[in-house]
């Protein structure tokens, strides 16, 4: 007899997501497991700074407060909870949860997964000096904890999808080499781990739907790894093939999506509408994982500061040149190591409001010395107030310098990384690395669909016919672009080349850009190397996480066949 699907919900896509989501998910309808993703590259840096101040910290305190309000409810509903909120201190969070449960009088079994934190071995492993060093573990430690009777499992740095894959693997008793089933669960996990991005949040075609406040997503995962993505009835937002496609394309590279347990072939899955707010993911195939694990390294890069000058009315370029010359002259004795100017021409001629008549000149500085990036810069900027261009003012005065982080990725042999499940009774069980591995290789993407050609074209924004979602991976950005019809896909695959992409987004012109095809999703994915500098914490550009890069692309005008419009 085929076991019933396991119903896994998500209540957090990042550290700072909707606080009430845990309660909403527990009360909105039936669930077997509730998960939460609290970690990102930037979050690890924040937790690392917390740990510098107090070695007993380093976990997501929000999760503990959510459990204070909802632990008894989860126990009453029989819902198990799995979250990576342990951050840099999963053992500390597990202990804090036990204290909380005792105070509340709730009898729950609590376990945790550790081993990802490699900071004590950073030098030995060749990472150099770093604030955090965490390998991405997989799902099997979570599964071991659940099989031992845990009601709550907290982890450190596991892959985002692992908090979903672990419960599914435990529920169905999958083997380590059940690659297709595991890959199906990874695909489902990748869709729901970012919370409401799967239910209409950040969705390119949001104007076609009543989004409101989107409900959080649910994956109904079956024994073969296929799944249905949905949400609780009556909640806001929408689940359709578009919202699921957008999230599948989020922060990936090509067809092979590598993880510690399985490499998921995103070019094999099929999406099918399965009723209102229900999308089925099926046909996913998996391969053995690569022999190495990715390691997230965060360090302190120095100090940064910024201010934005408002330039109003006539002679915008001349005003910008004057203040730039004056400020750099004032800093000449000890210039910051890095100075970046950006002029945004938000002004318009003969404007009806002062704001519409104004442009914004932004300057950001970085230096190893907090004095140089702080008081010296701030003082020099403000001292120009009565000595520079007419109409001088700033959006906000510069303040003290703030530290910024630097992200690096490294890779280590999986055998070098401990993976330990600490069960509710304190028993420690080592989780072996994958016995079978397969180095990553590129998928042959040379086959293109027959081109869609039509003589009659109209110059309109690209977003009239395609959706996009973009995001960050360290210093790189990815932009997934998908079409909504076979005809539009045939046009997109031939028209939106790397050359065209660089023409549409001039900021990428001098960078390496790689394009990957995903015909089953009618999608192309672009990876832009180095556009985000040393990662989000380094604040290298106006949109430091590239969240709106895809929307900029959709706004650019291009000749599109009339038949597609």
């Amino acid at each position: 007899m085929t076991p019933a699907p396991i119903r896994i919900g998500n209540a957090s896509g990042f550290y700072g997501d909707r606080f009430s989501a845990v309660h909403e998910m527990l009360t909105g309808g039936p669930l077997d497991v509730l998960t939460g993703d609290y970690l990102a590259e930037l979050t690890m840096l924040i937790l690392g700074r917390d740990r510098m101040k107090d070695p007993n910290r380093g976990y997501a305190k929000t999760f503990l407060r959510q459990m204070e309000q909802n632990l008894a409810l989860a126990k009453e509903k029989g819902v198990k909870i799995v979250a990576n909120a342990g951050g840099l201190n999963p053992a500390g969070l597990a202990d804090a949860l036990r204290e909380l449960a005792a105070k509340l009088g709730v009898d729950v079994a609590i376990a945790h997964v550790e081993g990802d934190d490699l900071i004590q071995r950073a030098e030995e492993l060749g990472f150099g000096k770093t604030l955090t060093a965490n390998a991405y573990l997989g799902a099997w430690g979570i599964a071991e904890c659940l099989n031992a009777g845990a009601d709550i499992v907290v982890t450190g740095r596991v892959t985002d999808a692992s908090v979903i894959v672990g419960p599914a693997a435990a529920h169905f008793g999958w083997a380590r080499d059940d690659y297709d089933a595991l890959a199906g669960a990874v695909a489902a996990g990748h869709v729901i781990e970012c919370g409401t991005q799967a239910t209409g949040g950040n969705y390119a075609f949001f104007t076609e739907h009543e989004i409101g406040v989107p409900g959080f997503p649910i994956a109904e995962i079956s024994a073969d790894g296929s799944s249905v993505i949905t949400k609780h009835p009556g909640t806001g937002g929408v689940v359709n093939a578009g919202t699921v496609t957008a999230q599948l394309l989020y922060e990936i590279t090509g067809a092979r999506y590598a993880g510690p347990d399985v490499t998921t072939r995103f070019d094999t899955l099929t999406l099918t509408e399965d009723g209102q707010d229900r999308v089925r993911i099926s046909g996913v195939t998996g391969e053995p994982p690569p022999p190495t694990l990715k390691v997230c390294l965060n360090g302190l890069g120095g100090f940064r500061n910024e201010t934005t000058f408002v330039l109003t009315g006539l002679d915008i370029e001349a005003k910008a040149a004057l203040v730039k010359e004056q400020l750099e002259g004032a800093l000449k004795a000890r210039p910051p190591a890095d100075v970046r100017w950006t002029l945004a021409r938000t002004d318009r001629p003969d404007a009806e409001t002062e704001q519409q008549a104004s442009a914004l000149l932004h300057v950001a500085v970085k230096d190893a010395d907090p004095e140089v990036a702080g008081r010296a810069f701030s003082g020099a900027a403000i001292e120009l107030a009565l000595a520079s261009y007419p109409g001088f003012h700033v959006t906000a005065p510069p303040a003290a310098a703030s530290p910024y982080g630097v992200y690096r990725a490294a890779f280590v042999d999986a055998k070098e990384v401990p993976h330990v499940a600490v069960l509710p009774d304190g028993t420690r069980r080592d989780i072996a690395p994958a016995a079978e591995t397969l180095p990553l290789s590129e998928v042959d993407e040379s086959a293109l669909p027959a081109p869609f050609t039509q003589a009659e074209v109209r110059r309109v924004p690209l977003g009239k016919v395609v959706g996009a979602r973009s995001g960050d991976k360290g210093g790189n950005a990815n932009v997934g672009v998908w079409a909504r019809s076979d005809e539009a896909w045939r046009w997109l695959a031939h028209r939106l080349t790397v050359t065209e992409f660089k023409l549409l987004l001039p900021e990428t012109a001098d960078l390496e850009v790689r394009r990957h095809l995903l015909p089953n999703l009618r999608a192309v994915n672009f990876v832009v190397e180095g556009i985000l500098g040393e990662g989000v914490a380094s604040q290298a550009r106006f949109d430091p996480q590239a969240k709106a890069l895809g929307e900029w692309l959709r706004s650019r005008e291009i000749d599109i066949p009339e038949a597609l419009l």
Side-chain angles (χ1 to χ4, degrees), residues 23-254:
H23 186 78
E24 293 168 13
M25 290 299 285
L26 289 173
T27 57
L31 284 178
D32 298 304
V33 181
L34 184 60
T35 65
D37 177 18
Y38 292 79
L39 303 183
E41 292 160 0
L42 178 61
T43 313
M44 300 304 283
L45 174 68
I46 294 169
L47 296 177
R49 291 169 60 184
D50 283 349
R51 185 170 64 177
M52 285 178 67
K53 299 172 188 173
D54 182 352
N56 294 317
R57 291 166 64 179
Y59 56 77
K61 297 181 289 292
T62 299
F63 176 76
L64 196 60
R65 298 203 312 273
Q66 288 172 312
M67 290 301 98
E68 185 172 12
Q69 294 185 9
N70 295 287
L71 191 61
L73 179 60
K75 177 69 174 180
E76 175 192 334
K77 299 273 187 181
V79 177
K80 294 183 181 293
I81 293 174
V82 180
N84 62 12
L88 301 177
N89 189 7
L93 178 56
D95 287 341
L97 285 167
R98 291 186 187 98
E99 292 178 13
L100 175 64
K103 184 178 80 171
L104 297 175
V106 180
D107 181 19
V108 287
I110 297 166
H112 75 275
V113 177
E114 62 185 30
D116 61 292
D117 194 345
L118 304 176
I119 190 63
Q120 298 302 323
R121 298 168 57 204
E123 294 286 348
E124 167 201 339
L125 295 170
F127 302 151
K129 189 174 182 181
T130 185
L131 180 63
T132 70
N134 295 82
Y136 286 79
L137 300 180
W140 293 106
I142 295 169
E144 189 76 19
C145 292
L146 292 170
N147 285 332
D151 298 304
I152 301 177
V153 183
V154 291
T155 75
R157 179 72 276 186
V158 298
T159 67
D160 298 342
S162 288
V163 296
I164 290 96
V165 179
H171 180 74
F172 295 115
W174 290 337
R176 296 286 294 261
D177 61 356
D178 282 334
Y179 296 126
D180 290 351
L182 291 166
V186 167
H190 185 69
V191 171
I192 74 168
E193 53 91 1
C194 266
T196 52
Q197 278 197 166
T199 57
N202 298 350
Y203 182 48
F205 301 108
F206 74 98
T207 58
E208 299 177 1
H209 306 279
E210 288 289 335
I211 299 298
V213 179
F216 276 71
I218 297 164
E220 299 172 354
I221 302 178
S222 297
D224 64 354
S226 63
S227 64
V228 171
I229 306 301
T230 185
K231 61 188 182 71
H232 282 320
T235 55
V238 61
V239 178
N240 63 22
T243 66
V244 173
T245 296
Q247 188 54 28
L248 284 168
L249 294 172
Y250 184 61
E251 295 181 347
I252 66 168
T253 52

Side-chain angles (χ1 to χ4, degrees), residues 219-561:
E220 299 172 354
I221 302 178
S222 297
D224 64 354
S226 63
S227 64
V228 171
I229 306 301
T230 185
K231 61 188 182 71
H232 282 320
T235 55
V238 61
V239 178
N240 63 22
T243 66
V244 173
T245 296
Q247 188 54 28
L248 284 168
L249 294 172
Y250 184 61
E251 295 181 347
I252 66 168
T253 52
R256 283 190 167 99
Y257 185 71
D261 302 318
V262 63
T263 293
T264 302
R265 291 289 298 263
F266 273 38
D267 58 339
T268 61
L269 63 84
T270 299
L271 302 183
T272 311
E273 300 276 359
D274 195 48
Q276 183 176 353
D277 292 320
R278 293 177 64 83
V279 174
R280 182 172 296 279
I281 305 175
S282 60
V284 191
T285 63
E287 301 168 343
T292 58
L293 298 183
K294 185 178 178 180
V295 182
C296 170
L297 304 174
N298 277 300
L300 295 178
F303 296 85
R304 69 181 307 277
N305 207 343
E306 61 187 348
T307 195
T308 301
F309 300 97
V310 182
L311 316 174
T312 303
L314 306 178
D315 306 316
I316 295 294
E317 299 286 345
K319 289 171 179 173
L322 174 60
V323 73
K324 182 177 179 181
E325 176 188 2
Q326 290 176 319
L327 183 59
E328 290 184 346
L331 298 172
K332 191 173 182 179
R334 176 61 174 89
D338 184 65
V339 181
R340 299 191 183 202
W341 294 88
T342 307
L343 176 60
R345 293 300 302 266
T346 52
D347 56 302
R348 64 179 68 172
D350 195 24
E352 295 181 357
T353 68
E354 182 179 339
Q355 187 173 8
Q356 291 176 348
S358 300
L360 301 176
L361 177 65
H362 184 76
V363 58
V365 300
K366 293 179 180 177
D367 201 87
D369 187 342
E371 176 70 17
V372 171
R375 187 163 56 181
F377 168 76
S378 298
I382 293 306
E383 286 171 5
L384 294 174
L386 304 181
S388 191
Y389 60 86
F392 180 103
H393 67 286
V394 294
T395 56
S402 58
Y404 71 89
V406 171
Y407 167 84
R408 290 181 292 130
F411 293 87
V412 296
D413 190 315
K415 296 182 178 66
E416 292 285 344
V417 180
H419 185 174
V420 182
V422 184
L423 307 184
D425 65 359
T427 301
R428 300 174 64 84
R429 290 190 184 162
D430 292 330
I431 306 300
E436 181 185 16
T437 61
L438 183 67
L440 277 183
S441 61
E442 294 290 338
V443 173
D444 182 8
E445 298 178 355
S446 59
L448 290 172
F452 181 90
T453 57
Q454 187 194 45
E456 295 296 322
V457 297
R458 196 192 323 165
R459 193 162 190 82
V460 295
L462 178 62
K464 292 290 184 182
V465 293
V466 302
R469 178 162 288 170
S470 56
D472 63 307
K473 277 294 182 186
N476 301 337
N478 95 287
V479 185
V481 184
W482 80 93
R484 300 201 286 179
S485 70
D486 291 339
E487 293 78 11
W489 162 240
R490 287 163 51 203
W491 173 82
L492 176 67
H494 289 270
R495 186 72 170 86
L496 195 57
T497 62
V498 168
T499 300
E500 186 68 28
F501 182 90
K502 289 186 173 188
L503 288 173
L504 292 172
L505 303 186
E507 281 186 44
T508 70
D510 297 326
L511 301 174
E512 181 181 349
V513 177
R514 291 177 283 115
R515 187 180 90 147
H516 301 278
L517 294 177
L518 292 162
N520 58 315
L521 295 175
R522 301 192 192 107
V524 290
N525 188 49
F526 294 91
V527 179
V528 185
E529 302 277 352
I531 192 171
L532 303 180
E534 295 171 301
V536 54
S538 70
Q539 298 284 308
R541 68 186 296 273
F542 167 68
D543 175 16
Q545 288 182 282
K547 297 297 186 186
L549 197 59
E551 286 302 293
W552 177 28
L553 178 66
R554 292 182 70 239
S555 74
R556 297 289 283 162
E557 293 189 352
I558 190 171
D559 290 336
I560 296 176

